[in-house]
Structures are given as structure tokens and as C-alpha cells.
Amino acid sequence: MENQATSNAWLQLAKEAYDKSTSFVDNNYRRTWEDNLRHFQCRHHSGSKYYKASYQYRSKVFRPKTRAALRNNEAAAVAAFFANQDALNIEPMNPMDDAQKASAEVMRELVNYRLTHTIPWFLLCIGGLQDAMVTGVVCSMQDWEYEAKEIEVSAIGPADITGNPTITTQKRAKIIKDQPRIRLLPVENVRIAPTADWTDPIKSSPYAIVLWPMYVQDVMLRMEKVDPKTGAPKWKNLSPDQIRSGIKQNYDPTRQTRDINREDKYDTNTQHSDTMSDFDIVWCHENFMRIDGEEYVYWTLGTEYMLTDAVPLEDVYFHGERPLVMGLAVIETHKVYPESLTKIGSGIQQEINEIANSRLDNVKLVLNKRWFVKRGSQVDVKSLVRNVAGSVTLVNDTATDVRAEEFNDVTSSSYQEQDRLNVDYDELVGTFSASTIQTNRKLGETVGGMAMLRGGINALTEYLLRCYGETWAERVMKQLVKLEQAYETDQVILAIAANKAQLLQKYGIDEVTDELLNQELTTRVNVGMGATDPVGKVQQLGMGVDIVGRAAQTAQVVPLDIVEISKEVFGRLGFKDGERFIRQDQQGQQDPEKMQMQAMIQQLTQAVQELQAAANDKEADRQAKLTDTQIKQEGEDRRTKAQMETQLVMKHMDLMNPVAGEKPPAKKKAANE
């Protein structure tokens, strides 16, 4: 009786939370979500005059400005989120710890592998952005999907006494699915408290309820076994009549509008019949409740029966937090459900449709005149309506029985008004279209003018993507990292990640253990301002590398912090963080021993340069002294030679010109001399 009373209390709590949150959504947001979905589907909003009988034969064109704007933003998101091979960047909390550095590199490779091979990240990322731009919020759930099948395996053992081998049969689990999972949730299938904090609605809400449509056969299966991977408890056994009660689901107008008013795919006709198919849909609620500061989770069949007992959240989700994330694309303070991009431009979208349809009606009247026929006259009205060239219309009196009403052709003011509305819409939602260029002809005729036009629009698009990345994508990646730390056991995938991360070469680690994975890490999504222009972003990256490279050269002389400089430079250029562009062994702040070694090398190099300069100076002095001595010696030699030549000439002159009174010597003697 005590257990039954406790179950009833939890069930009543879930019912009250569901009723209150559903009433709040129905009264405040249902109509807006439906109109936003209609505009996204290029349909007029509910209650529009174009659905009235008086407009049955009038122009009802919907100019798809909303769909075009959202498609442009989706294309920009592809360029921003998928231009880099790595979807995210994971860094250690303590860069000095080799274990954390190794864990960060392995986890980055693990998550990138999962996002590439097992999780359809491209569809989820772009689909989530579409939800955020249409309804205002994007909701998702991150959990671990595990499915195993018990099979029998035969093994040959040793021979028995007769010499025949023994055959033993063992049962073991064959793993079918063992992987993380990200699921986008329609906004109408999530319930939170209206008083939740707008900065983080999921965590701040005292409760969160997720509505899951499930097949009857899946419900029956979960009543038979416990999830061995996550430890989720086995569901309580309910009778077929009780399960059939979960088929009843109130009509959901948001889901019906999303399906363009087609037959409800979750609707079944068995709720009043005696039979129930395995493929019928029943609605199960996963309830997250915070009671006295403690988090609990349990399942209910609708709001009528308990499927599991309430257990602490960490017993089912080992990472210790609600596996839900709610993000947005447009910030609107103090509102749990902010206005979407579609809602912001809905007013101008309606005016654009009004101008276009009025002009079309006018053109049709100019081309096909309106006829006035005298009542009671015998006139071939069908011929007038057909208005076929060369046709004949029979009348009694051509002067009075039929009269054509002339209409003036539409003036240019209609087109000018439409151009201005297009510009207003583009400026409001942040798109760049050909109509903007046509309206600003002089500005669009120059390259600089085109850059100016695109500059402001790109800033709005990047702002939208940054909001989406910060509030949803990055939080999803953080929960995905925690799931990998808690549940990843696939040795093949772990080996692939370790090989790509080069753990053995860098850190001497040859095995990925739980201790290695469960390190404190920081997760960032590689999206920043400027991400929507690939060419411009590459140019900005080159500029940042050039600036930081010059700063690194200067740091050899002046003690500069390259890490902080890179953060500032790359942050100004639109990148969230510049640390991922610098290897850990190149960051001076994180390797003081290497800084000291580099300083010593720099001092020794300077001393060697000074010694070399002194030696060069001495050699120059010696060479200068040798040059002076050589010059003096050469001068002395030249003087001695000149003196000897002079004496020889004087002697020769004395012989040729004897002094008067002296007898000249004999020829033979003179010759001998």
C-alpha cells in the first residue's frame, strides 16, 4: 500500500506538470507555431482572407520570401559548421597534464568518428537550425543506444572417456547497437515550466517532460528486460486494456500543421476496438522531476499509469544531468520560447503577398476585361467568359445589352513598393538577394558597394549562427563527450581513435583506459564570426598566422606571451580561440623549462656573437698594422734602389767626362773597370 501510494503521488505530480505546461503552450504559442509553419511551407496564415469564399477566384499567390531566407541561412550554416574537417575542438582543462592532453586528443577523434559514421550530424545540425528559425527553439535528447541479442554458441571441449570430443553450448550476448544517439524533438513534444530561466530552460525548470510515440511491441519488449548498458529499469507489466488507453492522444494542431493537414500519422482506429496491433502507437512520457534539489526520472503511459518507479537521475544517466538541450537562433530576453526568424518577418511577408496579389488581379482585369450584361437579355455569356480570339458572342442589341469595363494598367508605384518591402524584409531577417541590388542600383554597380551590401547581411547571419552554436550545438557536443566517457567500450573504435591521435608516439600510451577517458575537458564548436565566407575566412586565417608569426620572432628578443597574443588576434578575426592553432610544445606559458632553455641558448648565442665580434676587431687591427709595416718597407726599398741607381748613373757620367788635365785611361783598363 505504501508503494502504491508513492506511485500515485509520482503519477499525480507528472499529470499536474503536464496539464499546466500544456495549457500554457496552448494559450500562448500554438497559434504562432502554426502560422510560422504555414509561412515556412509557403502557405497563408490561418484565418487569412484568402481562405474566404469571397476570395475564391482572386489571386492567392504566396511569394516565398520566408522559405528563401531560411534556405540562405541553412546554406550559410553548411559553410560555417562543415568547412572544417573536425566538427569540434576538445582541449584539456590543465594543459600541463599529459594525461589530460592525451585524453583530449583521443576524445576529439572519438567524437569526430561518431559524428561521421554513426550519428547523422549533418541532418541533425541543419534540421535543428531549421527548427530554431521556424518555431523559435530547437530541442534534442542525447542518450546511449544499446541493443543486444542473446545467442547460443557451441564450443568443442576435451575428449570424454570414449574418445569423442565434448560439445558445450553457451549463451552470450550479440551486440546489435552500441552507440551514442542524438534525437531532434518537435517543440510540441517537450514540456517545461513556464517560469523557467530563459538562459537555460531545461536545467532551470523544476520538471521536463518528453512525449515519445512508441510501438506497442516496443512497449511490451521493455516490460520484459532491463537495459544492461544504461541500467534503465524494466517497465511494469500492464494489461492490454491499460496499454490501449495510451493510444488515446489529444489532437495536436502543431503536428497536424507540420504535416500540411494530412491524416495524422500517429492516429489509430483501435482505441475503441477489441484488437490491438503490435504496430499501433501509444504515447509514453519520460518525466524528469526535481524534488528537494534531487533529480529523478521515471516513465508513465500518458498520464494514467506508471511504467517505472522514480529513480535518481544518475542511476540511469551516468553523466549526472538531464540529457536534454533547448537552444535558439534569435535571442529574446526573459522568454522561454523566443520569437523565431519566421515570426519576425511575418508582417512584411503578408504585405508582400498583398501587393503581389493586388497587382496580379489588376493585370488580369486589364488583359481580360470585366463585362456588364443587361439582365434578361439573350446574351451568350459563356462566350464572353471564354474570351477566345475569333469567337462570336450572340446578343440582341450590341449597343445596350453588353458593355466592357476598362481598367487602367497597374502603375510603377506598385513595383517600387514591392522593392522597398523586399529590402525591409532582407534587412530584418538578414539575407542578401538580387532585389537588394536592383533597388540600390548605384551602390550595386561597384565592387566596393557590393561588399558594403554584403557586410551587414553577413554580420546578421553570423550572429544567428553564433547564437545557435552557443545555445545548442556546443551544449550537445558537451553531453556527447560525457556519453563517450561513460559508455564507450568498443575496442575497435577506441583503437582507431588512439591511432589517429598518435598516443604511442606522443605520450607512450598504448591502451585507452577509463581513467584516460574520464579527464576534465573543455569542448568548443569550431564556428565563429566570419565563418559564412570561406574565402574571407581563409584570408583572415592567413593574416592571423602572419601576425602571430612575426610576434613569435619578436618574442625571441622581447619576452612576449604568444598564447595571449594569438587569442587576441584570432579572436578579433572571428575565431573563438587561437590556442588550437598553436602546438602545446610551442606555447611558452605552458613549458617554463623550455622557456628557460631558450633564454640560456639566447644568452650563449649573444656571448658567442660578442666573442666573434671581438676576434674580428683584433684581426682587423693586426691586418692594419701589417699593412703599415709593409708600406714602410716597400718605401725604404724603393728609396735604397733609387739611391743605388743614382750613384751608378753618376759614376757612369764621371767615366764619360774626365776632369781637365788628367790623362784618360787605356781602353782595355777602362773596359775592365
Side-chain angles (χ1 to χ4, degrees):
M1 293 180 60
E2 183 178 356
N3 293 336
Q4 183 64 33
T6 303
S7 297
N8 292 337
W10 284 110
L11 186 62
Q12 181 64 25
L13 192 64
K15 187 178 187 309
E16 292 176 357
Y18 174 78
D19 291 341
K20 183 176 181 180
S21 58
T22 302
S23 176
F24 176 77
V25 167
D26 291 342
N27 294 333
N28 296 277
Y29 294 103
R30 287 285 188 184
R31 182 69 176 270
T32 301
W33 292 345
E34 295 167 26
D35 290 343
N36 292 344
L37 287 169
R38 288 175 175 271
H39 280 190
F40 174 72
Q41 297 164 352
C42 299
R43 297 192 297 159
H44 296 287
H45 62 280
S46 59
S48 173
K49 64 180 181 180
Y50 295 110
Y51 296 127
K52 296 180 180 179
S54 57
Y55 277 79
Q56 183 178 0
Y57 302 106
R58 298 279 296 272
S59 297
K60 298 186 284 290
V61 172
F62 188 99
R63 298 192 72 249
K65 292 290 293 182
T66 300
R67 190 63 175 260
L70 267 59
R71 283 171 57 84
N72 285 335
N73 289 331
E74 290 173 5
V78 172
F81 283 91
F82 299 95
N84 195 338
Q85 185 177 2
D86 293 336
L88 74 163
N89 187 42
I90 300 177
E91 301 171 352
M93 293 291 291
N94 182 14
M96 298 296 296
D97 190 346
D98 288 341
Q100 289 193 14
K101 291 194 293 184
S103 177
E105 296 190 18
V106 171
M107 189 58 62
R108 182 176 65 249
E109 298 297 338
L110 274 176
V111 174
N112 284 322
Y113 178 88
R114 288 299 191 183
L115 294 177
T116 304
H117 295 85
T118 61
I119 298 175
W121 176 237
F122 179 85
L123 296 177
L124 293 171
C125 181
I126 305 304
L129 178 62
Q130 186 180 109
D131 280 352
M133 292 188 296
V134 174
T135 61
V137 296
V138 50
C139 305
S140 68
M141 184 172 188
Q142 294 68 235
D143 61 352
W144 195 272
E145 185 179 18
Y146 182 82
E147 183 178 351
K149 182 180 180 181
E150 193 176 70
I151 60 175
E152 293 183 353
V153 178
S154 299
I156 300 177
D160 55 11
I161 56 177
T162 62
N164 296 322
T166 58
I167 299 177
T168 58
T169 301
Q170 297 178 350
K171 293 183 178 181
R172 67 179 182 88
K174 179 182 178 181
I175 298 176
I176 300 175
K177 291 182 180 180
D178 189 9
Q179 60 192 21
R181 177 174 54 181
I182 301 174
R183 289 180 285 181
L184 282 182
L185 305 174
V187 63
E188 68 270 15
N189 286 358
V190 179
R191 299 287 188 272
I192 58 174
T195 56
D197 185 11
W198 66 278
T199 59
D200 194 350
I202 295 297
K203 289 185 178 180
S204 61
S205 175
Y207 61 85
I209 304 174
V210 183
L211 282 61
W212 295 107
M214 300 181 65
Y215 294 110
V216 171
Q217 62 177 359
D218 294 335
V219 174
M220 301 294 292
L221 184 63
R222 298 191 67 169
M223 291 180 181
E224 297 176 358
K225 61 180 182 179
V226 178
D227 190 339
K229 188 76 173 184
T230 62
K234 182 173 65 173
W235 285 11
K236 297 182 178 181
N237 289 318
L238 299 179
S239 65
D241 291 337
Q242 292 174 329
I243 296 176
R244 190 180 294 110
S245 67
I247 297 177
K248 294 186 300 182
Q249 177 69 14
N250 294 332
Y251 169 78
D252 195 308
T254 306
R255 182 174 66 249
Q256 195 75 0
T257 303
R258 183 180 286 108
D259 293 335
I260 316 182
N261 295 330
R262 297 186 178 95
E263 182 181 356
D264 192 350
K265 58 187 177 183
Y266 296 122
D267 186 23
T268 58
N269 297 319
T270 61
Q271 50 184 308
H272 300 295
S273 63
D274 296 333
T275 61
M276 182 174 56
S277 171
D278 288 343
F279 302 107
D280 288 339
I281 296 295
V282 295
W283 287 88
C284 303
H285 296 184
E286 188 174 9
N287 304 275
F288 299 89
M289 296 287 176
R290 184 184 301 117
I291 306 297
D292 296 333
E294 297 292 333
E295 293 282 350
Y296 296 89
V297 59
Y298 59 98
W299 287 77
T300 59
L301 184 64
T303 57
E304 299 178 3
Y305 297 100
M306 292 285 291
L307 288 173
T308 65
D309 293 327
V311 296
L313 182 67
E314 58 269 15
D315 291 351
V316 180
Y317 298 100
F318 291 164
H319 48 75
E321 63 182 27
R322 294 176 180 175
L324 299 171
V325 172
M326 179 180 288
L328 48 85
V330 178
I331 294 178
E332 191 170 4
T333 58
H334 313 300
K335 291 182 67 175
V336 177
Y337 297 102
E339 298 289 358
S340 66
L341 199 67
T342 303
K343 177 61 177 177
I344 292 175
S346 61
I348 301 179
Q349 173 70 76
Q350 294 175 21
E351 289 298 323
I352 291 174
N353 294 335
E354 179 68 19
I355 293 293
N357 287 315
S358 298
R359 185 174 60 251
L360 286 175
D361 285 338
N362 180 265
V363 172
K364 292 176 182 178
L365 288 172
V366 171
L367 298 178
N368 296 279
K369 298 179 178 59
R370 183 176 177 83
W371 299 95
F372 291 90
V373 179
K374 183 178 180 180
R375 183 180 289 108
S377 60
Q378 297 179 354
V379 178
D380 189 357
V381 178
K382 293 183 179 179
S383 176
L384 290 176
V385 173
R386 286 195 299 267
N387 198 17
V388 179
S391 64
V392 177
T393 302
L394 299 178
V395 299
N396 291 334
D397 189 349
T398 58
T400 60
D401 288 350
V402 178
R403 179 174 62 86
E405 182 71 15
E406 297 291 338
F407 291 90
N408 296 327
D409 194 1
V410 63
T411 62
S412 61
S413 61
S414 172
Y415 296 96
Q416 294 176 3
E417 183 66 23
Q418 180 176 328
D419 290 339
R420 283 162 173 77
L421 288 174
N422 287 337
V423 173
D424 291 340
Y425 187 90
D426 294 342
E427 183 180 5
L428 182 62
V429 302
T431 58
F432 186 81
S433 62
S435 62
T436 306
I437 304 174
Q438 293 175 1
T439 307
N440 298 275
R441 288 290 302 277
K442 294 182 180 180
L443 189 62
E445 290 173 355
T446 63
V447 177
M450 291 288 292
M452 292 174 61
L453 288 173
R454 291 184 63 89
I457 299 300
N458 285 341
L460 287 176
T461 303
E462 291 165 1
Y463 158 73
L464 180 141
L465 295 180
R466 186 64 176 269
C467 293
Y468 173 69
E470 291 281 347
T471 59
W472 184 77
E474 193 163 293
R475 293 177 180 178
V476 168
M477 291 297 104
K478 289 179 179 179
Q479 289 200 358
L480 186 59
V481 168
K482 291 183 178 181
L483 287 172
E484 286 290 327
Q485 290 177 332
Y487 300 113
E488 187 60 78
T489 57
D490 194 320
Q491 296 300 322
V492 176
I493 296 178
L494 290 173
I496 293 174
N499 186 29
K500 288 186 177 181
Q502 298 182 351
L503 291 186
L504 185 62
Q505 295 86 339
K506 292 181 180 180
Y507 307 101
I509 299 175
D510 57 356
E511 184 181 2
V512 179
T513 61
D514 292 341
E515 183 180 359
L516 179 64
L517 292 178
N518 294 325
Q519 298 287 333
E520 292 293 332
L521 304 175
T522 301
T523 305
R524 295 186 178 93
V525 177
N526 291 333
V527 176
M529 302 301 285
T532 57
D533 186 2
V535 176
K537 190 166 186 179
V538 171
Q539 293 177 351
Q540 292 175 349
L541 178 61
M543 183 190 303
V545 171
D546 182 59
I547 295 174
V548 175
R550 291 200 302 267
Q553 294 178 357
T554 307
Q556 296 179 359
V557 180
V558 181
L560 299 177
D561 192 335
I562 302 301
V563 177
E564 294 299 326
I565 292 176
S566 67
K567 287 182 181 179
E568 186 70 18
V569 171
F570 287 110
R572 297 291 182 181
L573 292 177
F575 299 92
K576 291 187 63 175
D577 197 347
E579 286 191 38
R580 62 190 179 97
F581 299 114
I582 301 178
R583 294 205 313 264
Q584 295 294 327
D585 57 353
Q586 293 178 343
Q587 299 181 8
Q589 283 283 8
Q590 299 178 6
D591 198 350
E593 295 182 357
K594 188 169 183 179
M595 285 186 62
Q596 186 178 2
M597 185 66 68
Q598 289 178 350
M600 293 176 61
I601 292 174
Q602 185 176 355
Q603 293 176 0
L604 291 175
T605 302
Q606 185 175 359
V608 170
Q609 291 176 352
E610 292 177 354
L611 292 175
Q612 186 67 29
N616 292 337
D617 294 341
K618 291 181 180 179
E619 181 66 20
D621 293 340
R622 189 177 67 82
Q623 291 292 339
K625 292 180 181 180
L626 289 175
T627 301
D628 293 341
T629 304
Q630 185 176 1
I631 293 174
K632 291 180 180 179
Q633 185 64 35
E634 290 179 354
E636 187 68 28
D637 293 343
R638 285 196 297 270
R639 286 194 295 271
T640 303
K641 184 178 179 181
Q643 291 176 0
M644 292 178 65
E645 290 177 351
T646 301
Q647 291 177 3
L648 182 59
V649 171
M650 293 296 296
K651 188 67 174 176
H652 181 68
M653 292 177 61
D654 290 343
L655 291 175
M656 296 297 296
N657 300 308
V659 182
E662 292 185 358
K663 187 177 181 178
K667 294 183 179 180
K668 184 176 181 180
K669 185 177 180 180
N672 292 336
E673 292 178 357

